[in-house]
Amino acid sequence: MIMKPNTIEPSHLLAALNWRRAIKVFDPDKLIPAETWAALEQALVMSASSYGLQPYRFIVVQDKKIRQQLLPHAWDQRQVVDASHLVIFAARTDVTEQEIDDYIQLIARVRGVSPDSLRNYREMMRDSLLADDFKPVARHWAARQAYIALGNLLTSAALLGVDACPMEGFVPAGFDSVLGLTEQGLTAVVMCALGYRSAADEYSKAAKVRFPASVLVKHV
Amino acid sequence: MIMKPNTIEPSHLLAALNWRRAIKVFDPDKLIPAETWAALEQALVMSASSYGLQPYRFIVVQDKKIRQQLLPHAWDQRQVVDASHLVIFAARTDVTEQEIDDYIQLIARVRGVSPDSLRNYREMMRDSLLADDFKPVARHWAARQAYIALGNLLTSAALLGVDACPMEGFVPAGFDSVLGLTEQGLTAVVMCALGYRSAADEYSKAAKVRFPASVLVKHV
């Protein structure tokens, strides 16, 4: 049984989330330390997903030449090249039998049980995810799972003092082509630049804009 | 300019994320303390969204009678009634002119600038979000933003020592009807039960199952 780790203070969490901004101007000379980055990658790996199926891959682009190739497909937004790290969230365009079977084998291996003991779970996934009426929504479902990972990454980064900018403003087909995603059954759904804000980033100095809790949260 | 808060150790973040499990059996007698819950709601409010538009509402259901009404639409999964708190993530089914204008007014108010100075931003949002070819994907786009909030909530809860169970297994039409969401231009896209795991929850004692980082994360 896993030990419950120390908790942080609610005020500490909120200070980090309030500090978090979508950074428009990164300091290109400030790199995320290796240990910190390793933790953020591990945070991505530990994200929650429907059935635990992890229907996505995370493409971490540090090669500046490839970032330059992505740039024109992202309306030349400088975060793409200036940030320390760039993560492309690539979601499955379809769910396959193979993917479900690989996952069942993985559970069996990690938990030391027989794949046969997971038969019901396998059937449940097959019945819902391979159904004809699921086909047209499979890519939307996979994208949603990738967005859980994005939300997790943004909060994780804020707590580690790393700046981030989630970005939907790019042409998926262009990214898929540069990164060779299509042939892997993947498509870029969102990306996140990470690093450290530049003192020149005026937006990050402005007040955070949110509808009041009384509008966003309804109690019943 | 906002102060950078204290950071937490990478190992601390990972311990919390590793402890996090999708809890199947909650202890119905353990309630989340008010201060902790207030922070989690505030974390939801501070979630990131595309353009900052927040195209969602969070429905917090504590009324056990309403939870009982939701239960049959959620395959009788006990988390719906047993958890301390239940959050329904309701996403916009459409983007409207009104929503964009309300948001522009909000920015102007919070930042003390004239709405007219935000004209370009308003046009940019109108051009993309009110376009004819965006109509069919608007609800998917809004749902994705809600999933960022879900990812944020799961990580925030783990750091505060609160258990959670993200759940897609419900009939949206049933939830929309019980909660009166349709007439508000909303639809339930995902939910999250929060509280504290029961000692009877066997799943939370099993090893976490993830594909290796070498499979999930690709470096280029």
Side-chain angles (χ1 to χ4, degrees):
Chain A
M1 178 145 176
I2 188 156
M3 287 277 295
K4 187 167 182 172
N6 292 331
T7 57
I8 66 173
E9 288 298 317
S11 61
H12 188 172
L13 170 71
L14 296 182
L17 292 177
N18 189 44
W19 169 78
R20 188 200 64 72
R21 300 298 157 94
I23 297 302
K24 305 286 183 270
V25 188
F26 282 88
D27 183 336
D29 297 322
K30 278 202 196 155
L31 298 180
I32 300 170
E35 190 206 2
T36 305
W37 181 253
L40 291 176
E41 277 192 6
Q42 195 52 31
L44 282 172
V45 167
M46 288 204 278
S47 286
S49 62
S50 185
Y51 296 106
L53 197 58
Q54 310 155 70
Y56 42 60
R57 297 295 181 263
F58 309 109
I59 320 294
V60 179
V61 188
Q62 280 187 274
D63 185 323
K64 292 272 177 174
K65 275 190 223 127
I66 296 177
R67 298 237 207 135
Q68 285 290 352
Q69 289 172 39
L70 295 174
L71 192 59
H73 302 294
W75 319 111
D76 289 321
Q77 293 174 92
R78 292 298 308 172
Q79 300 97 310
V80 169
V81 283
D82 286 344
S84 170
H85 288 65
L86 182 71
V87 181
I88 318 298
F89 293 72
R92 288 260 179 242
T93 46
D94 197 8
V95 181
T96 62
E97 255 188 277
Q98 185 63 51
E99 198 180 349
I100 292 172
D101 286 345
D102 287 349
Y103 176 50
I104 288 290
Q105 292 294 334
L106 178 72
I107 303 175
R109 212 159 52 235
V110 170
R111 298 206 167 145
V113 298
S114 77
D116 201 51
S117 71
L118 301 164
R119 203 173 42 223
N120 288 348
Y121 194 53
R122 178 169 176 271
E123 285 313 307
M124 194 173 74
M125 282 192 281
R126 290 171 63 97
D127 285 350
S128 65
L129 302 175
L130 302 179
D132 281 343
D133 62 355
F134 190 76
K135 285 254 169 241
V137 296
R139 62 166 60 219
H140 294 299
W141 169 83
R144 290 179 184 196
Q145 311 311 315
Y147 272 69
I148 297 177
L150 173 62
N152 170 29
L153 179 64
L154 292 173
T155 301
S156 294
L159 283 153
L160 300 188
V162 173
D163 277 310
C165 186
M167 303 167 81
E168 287 182 339
F170 63 90
V171 182
F175 271 46
D176 292 352
S177 165
V178 169
L179 299 170
L181 297 176
T182 311
E183 49 270 37
Q184 300 175 62
L186 298 166
T187 186
V189 293
V190 69
M191 67 173 156
C192 188
L194 297 110
Y196 299 97
R197 65 186 75 178
S198 160
D201 188 325
E202 293 304 325
Y203 280 106
S204 61
K205 297 167 193 169
K208 199 186 261 301
V209 176
R210 289 296 183 276
F211 289 109
S214 58
V215 169
L216 283 179
V217 184
K218 193 180 164 195
H219 293 91
V220 292
Chain B
M1 179 146 178
I2 189 159
M3 285 279 293
K4 187 168 182 171
N6 291 333
T7 57
I8 65 172
E9 288 297 317
S11 59
H12 188 170
L13 170 70
L14 296 182
L17 293 177
N18 189 43
W19 169 79
R20 188 198 64 72
R21 300 297 158 95
I23 298 302
K24 305 284 184 266
V25 188
F26 283 87
D27 183 335
D29 296 322
K30 278 202 197 157
L31 298 180
I32 300 171
E35 190 206 1
T36 305
W37 180 254
L40 290 176
E41 278 193 5
Q42 193 54 30
L44 283 171
V45 167
M46 287 203 279
S47 285
S49 61
S50 187
Y51 297 106
L53 197 58
Q54 311 156 70
Y56 42 61
R57 297 295 181 264
F58 309 109
I59 320 295
V60 179
V61 188
Q62 280 186 274
D63 185 322
K64 293 271 178 177
K65 275 190 224 131
I66 296 178
R67 297 236 207 136
Q68 286 290 352
Q69 290 173 39
L70 295 174
L71 192 59
H73 302 293
W75 319 110
D76 288 321
Q77 294 174 92
R78 292 297 308 171
Q79 298 98 310
V80 170
V81 282
D82 287 343
S84 171
H85 288 66
L86 182 72
V87 182
I88 317 299
F89 292 73
R92 288 260 177 242
T93 47
D94 197 8
V95 182
T96 61
E97 254 189 276
Q98 186 63 51
E99 198 180 348
I100 293 172
D101 287 344
D102 287 350
Y103 176 51
I104 289 291
Q105 293 293 334
L106 177 72
I107 303 176
R109 213 159 51 235
V110 171
R111 298 206 165 144
V113 297
S114 76
D116 201 51
S117 71
L118 301 164
R119 202 174 42 222
N120 289 347
Y121 194 53
R122 177 169 176 270
E123 285 314 307
M124 194 173 74
M125 283 192 281
R126 291 172 63 99
D127 286 349
S128 65
L129 303 175
L130 302 180
D132 281 343
D133 62 355
F134 190 75
K135 284 252 169 242
V137 296
R139 62 166 59 218
H140 295 298
W141 169 83
R144 291 179 185 196
Q145 311 313 316
Y147 273 68
I148 296 177
L150 173 61
N152 170 30
L153 179 65
L154 292 172
T155 302
S156 294
L159 283 153
L160 300 187
V162 173
D163 277 310
C165 186
M167 303 168 81
E168 287 182 338
F170 62 89
V171 182
F175 271 46
D176 293 352
S177 166
V178 170
L179 299 170
L181 296 177
T182 310
E183 50 270 38
Q184 300 176 60
L186 297 166
T187 186
V189 292
V190 69
M191 68 173 154
C192 188
L194 297 111
Y196 298 97
R197 65 186 74 181
S198 160
D201 187 324
E202 293 304 325
Y203 281 106
S204 61
K205 297 168 194 168
K208 197 184 262 299
V209 176
R210 289 296 183 277
F211 289 110
S214 58
V215 169
L216 283 179
V217 184
K218 193 179 162 196
H219 292 91
V220 294

